[in-house]
Amino acid sequence: MILKKVKLNRLKIKSILKTLLFCARQNIALRGHQEVIERQVLQDRDDGNFRVVLRFRVESEDDILKKHFEKAAENAVYLSPKVQNDLLDIAGTLITERIVQDTNKSPYFFILADETTACVT
């Protein structure tokens, strides 16, 4: 029973994390200027991009996510700005570690720097 619950919770977090990383890869701001910190993610309203993309996932038949938003306790939906930042920090750390591992495995590597000079006339 506990293993089943752990597996389900991992699927919920995975779906939320995929959405978060999608926004990050596409350079989409997560939060809007009128972010609503409520659990009613499924209500169509004008709030941050992250919640809009989550609604899109639910509408695209992500049943695990839909059930999570319908049944989760108010303090356990994992959508607060703090949780978003924590997940992004964890993902950033993992990506950095992976880059370092790949670089250390390679016999050669180079660093490319690009510079743009501002010209004031």
Side-chain angles (χ1 to χ4, degrees):
M1 181 67 179
I2 291 175
L3 290 176
K4 186 176 180 181
K5 190 169 186 171
V6 167
K7 185 177 178 181
L8 182 61
N9 286 339
R10 286 181 179 165
L11 289 173
K12 292 174 188 176
I13 291 292
K14 183 178 180 182
S15 193
I16 291 170
L17 187 58
K18 278 184 172 183
T19 305
L20 194 65
L21 293 176
F22 169 79
C23 291
R25 273 190 218 107
Q26 299 302 320
N27 202 21
I28 298 172
L30 299 177
R31 296 181 282 275
H33 65 284
Q34 293 182 334
E35 182 77 11
V36 179
I37 314 288
E38 295 177 2
R39 62 170 271 160
Q40 286 86 15
V41 178
L42 301 179
Q43 292 180 359
D44 192 17
R45 59 174 82 190
D46 187 23
D47 52 4
N49 296 324
F50 178 59
R51 288 173 179 254
V52 171
V53 176
L54 283 171
R55 273 197 297 277
F56 177 75
R57 286 183 64 103
V58 168
E59 291 169 5
S60 299
E61 300 180 11
D62 187 334
D63 293 331
I64 292 171
L65 204 55
K66 183 175 183 178
K67 289 176 186 174
H68 170 63
F69 293 140
E70 289 174 345
K71 297 181 180 183
E74 188 144 343
N75 63 346
V77 289
Y78 309 116
L79 299 181
S80 71
K82 181 181 178 350
V83 171
Q84 292 172 24
N85 291 340
D86 289 346
L87 289 173
L88 283 175
D89 287 342
I90 291 167
T93 300
L94 292 173
I95 291 168
T96 301
E97 288 175 1
R98 184 66 168 282
I99 291 170
V100 169
Q101 287 174 358
D102 290 348
T103 303
N104 288 337
K105 287 179 187 176
S106 176
Y108 307 102
F109 68 92
F110 68 94
I111 298 173
L112 178 63
D114 187 13
E115 180 182 330
T116 303
T117 304
C119 194
V120 180
T121 56

